[in-house]
Amino acid sequence: MKNPALKPYCRQVMSRDNDVIRFKMERSTLEIDDPDGSIFAFIRLLDGARGVEEIASECRLTAREVEEGLALLDRHRLLACGTADPIGLTEREQIRYKNNLTYFSLYESLNESRFDFQKKLKNATVAVVGLGGGSVIAAWLAAMGVGRIVGVDFDRVELNNLNRQFFYTEDDVGEYKTIALQRRLHALNRDVKVEVHQRRIESAQSLVDIAAEADMMVSAIDTPPLMGSRYVNAACLHRRIPSYYLSIGNRLGFYFRVLPYESGCTDCRVLHIMRTDPVTAGRIRRQVAGAAADADTGNPGFAPNVAVMTALVASDIAKQLTGYSAISDMPFGLVPFHDMDISRRSIPRYSDCPSCGRSADPGTDEWVEPVALERLLEVAEEAAPLSGERENR
Ligand SMILES: [Zn+2]
């Protein structure tokens, strides 16, 4: 073990009163009983200059007791990784990501350093499907140092995109979003590999090759309505990689994460709506039946709202890729724009989901496409919401 050291900020938040040591963190307080002051003396010796034996002899503890004390502090991420090895990061990257590394140092442990977290980002591939709002997510990813970004779109940059897709500039208007994204990402971070596909998404099959080479995929497409995200979902279930979805509506936005065959998928979400939310269910039914579309009220995309939603997705992706902090076990986030008071919930995984339920067969290579929407709605009606068919995890 390297010489243990208390993280510098921990000294600032540590106090000892009435025989109790307290580490008062932003969201929690760790309390350790210390009637004779020996633990306080022990913690003061964690300066990175002394080894376990030396600490033990100076504060009259056994080596085993010192190790137990260190394990406790390390579980609470209070110990620095010491002279951690930046191998795998170039000197330029260590400078470029200096503040990332400072941030990650708050979460590092004796076994996993801040450099390890940054290297996980560097070695990751994230695919972003839909380069409208997706272009902003791609920019967050490039800035934080995700090593390979794959962008998929077929559209061109329009002047009216720039009010919210602010990673593009006026010079990009008229250009394919894929080409513009590649140029902008290169200008932002030349160490990031960027691959783009000029592709209209009309099936899950058209994403399978991209999912095969990605660690995770983000769906920021709104066409074809209802189906675009289901294609992404099917391709990611097929390749067993996590996927993210976001949508920005009039007064609120939502985003969610699917862990394949663990949390509810896009089709589970449709089943959930059809069984629990009659108003939205009615709208989906009308849409699927091809009834007159709701009146076109335009796109309410507004830059601050897009920034918040895309940043929430990027933040979750960073946690998922590095494990520096646990991801929420409630993967659905709802954001009302008037007060940005985010609420979280889970999406149940339904056992009768045609995409990820018991009838889905993840082992078959040929099976990729989601069932037709009409069929999905039939499935939703086959079981009553409270029949016990629901499989909450
Ligand atoms: Zn499902």
Side-chain angles (χ1 to χ4, degrees):
M1 185 192 286
K2 298 179 185 95
N3 290 348
L6 200 67
K7 292 180 184 178
Y9 87 94
C10 295
R11 293 195 187 281
Q12 294 167 3
V13 299
M14 182 177 75
S15 63
R16 184 175 184 281
D17 290 301
N18 301 322
D19 299 339
V20 177
I21 297 171
R22 286 186 185 79
F23 288 96
K24 195 166 172 14
M25 269 78 83
E26 282 154 345
R27 295 182 59 192
S28 62
T29 300
L30 170 66
E31 296 191 344
I32 305 171
D33 287 328
D34 184 30
D36 61 1
S38 62
I39 297 176
F40 194 65
F42 155 71
I43 289 173
R44 287 171 67 95
L45 295 175
L46 305 179
D47 56 5
R50 297 167 169 85
V52 170
E53 297 290 334
E54 211 177 335
I55 294 167
S57 80
E58 279 194 47
C59 55
R60 293 193 207 123
L61 294 169
T62 65
R64 192 193 161 92
E65 284 168 332
V66 169
E67 276 161 14
E68 283 171 2
L70 292 174
L72 170 74
L73 297 176
D74 199 37
R75 269 201 303 283
H76 290 273
R77 308 270 173 133
L78 298 178
L79 298 180
C81 203
T83 50
D85 213 335
I87 283 180
L89 292 181
T90 63
E91 250 176 67
R92 193 181 117 83
E93 285 165 335
Q94 290 173 53
I95 297 167
R96 188 180 217 292
Y97 302 121
K98 183 166 172 270
N99 292 39
N100 281 15
L101 295 168
T102 303
Y103 177 61
F104 288 145
S105 74
L106 303 174
Y107 295 91
E108 71 180 358
S109 65
L110 289 178
N111 294 319
E112 196 164 34
S113 79
R114 53 202 178 278
F115 301 112
D116 294 326
F117 295 132
Q118 189 65 47
K119 278 182 271 189
K120 285 183 182 172
L121 291 181
K122 180 180 177 174
N123 294 330
T125 297
V126 178
V128 182
V129 184
L131 300 178
S135 66
V136 183
I137 294 177
W140 294 130
L141 300 177
M144 69 170 83
V146 169
R148 184 163 168 264
I149 296 171
V150 181
V152 185
D153 206 300
F154 64 92
D155 234 345
R156 293 177 190 269
V157 179
E158 294 178 33
L159 184 62
N160 67 28
N161 296 152
L162 300 183
N163 84 307
R164 63 198 185 281
Q165 296 167 24
F166 44 84
F167 188 52
Y168 300 125
T169 72
E170 301 228 351
D171 291 342
D172 298 323
V173 172
E175 181 68 272
Y176 280 117
K177 287 183 174 175
T178 47
I179 307 294
L181 181 87
Q182 202 160 31
R183 186 167 59 229
R184 295 294 162 205
L185 287 183
H186 184 74
L188 174 64
N189 187 344
R190 75 176 88 121
D191 294 332
V192 171
K193 295 187 190 76
V194 184
E195 182 185 313
V196 292
H197 297 269
Q198 183 71 29
R199 206 180 274 189
R200 196 183 285 269
I201 301 309
E202 291 172 326
S203 67
Q205 193 65 53
S206 58
L207 287 167
V208 165
D209 60 330
I210 294 170
E213 293 190 352
D215 295 300
M216 54 190 61
M217 192 177 273
V218 182
S219 168
I221 45 175
D222 47 12
T223 53
L226 293 176
M227 286 306 291
S229 59
R230 297 187 66 223
Y231 295 142
V232 173
N233 179 61
C236 291
L237 285 173
H238 187 66
R239 292 295 185 185
R240 288 180 167 265
I241 59 167
S243 51
Y244 286 85
Y245 305 83
L246 78 162
S247 177
I248 297 172
N250 290 331
R251 292 187 175 80
L252 45 83
F254 67 80
Y255 69 101
F256 66 102
R257 161 195 356 110
V258 175
L259 299 182
Y261 303 101
E262 274 185 51
S263 55
C265 75
T266 59
D267 286 4
C268 291
R269 185 170 167 268
V270 173
L271 294 180
H272 193 59
I273 291 171
M274 300 310 291
R275 290 166 177 174
T276 61
D277 176 354
V279 174
T280 313
R283 194 158 65 224
I284 291 178
R285 241 182 247 113
R286 285 195 301 280
Q287 210 173 338
V288 173
D294 293 342
D296 182 6
T297 51
N299 180 333
F302 184 54
N305 300 343
V306 172
V308 167
M309 297 305 300
T310 54
L312 286 169
V313 171
S315 164
D316 205 288
I317 288 174
K319 294 185 181 92
Q320 173 87 349
L321 288 174
T322 62
Y324 81 81
S325 173
I327 51 174
S328 167
D329 58 2
M330 289 197 277
F332 187 93
L334 189 69
V335 186
F337 296 136
H338 67 281
D339 61 4
M340 299 290 180
D341 187 10
I342 303 171
S343 60
R344 291 191 158 276
R345 56 190 72 161
S346 49
I347 298 173
R349 184 176 163 218
Y350 283 89
S351 61
D352 59 350
C353 170
S355 287
C356 77
R358 59 173 176 249
S359 62
D361 183 358
T364 320
D365 247 12
E366 312 83 65
W367 183 86
V368 182
E369 298 304 326
V371 300
L373 269 169
E374 291 80 0
R375 175 64 199 139
L376 186 59
L377 299 198
E378 279 169 23
V379 172
E381 275 155 24
E382 279 164 12
L386 300 173
S387 69
E389 279 295 292
R390 205 171 102 179
E391 190 177 90
N392 264 310
R393 62 177 290 274

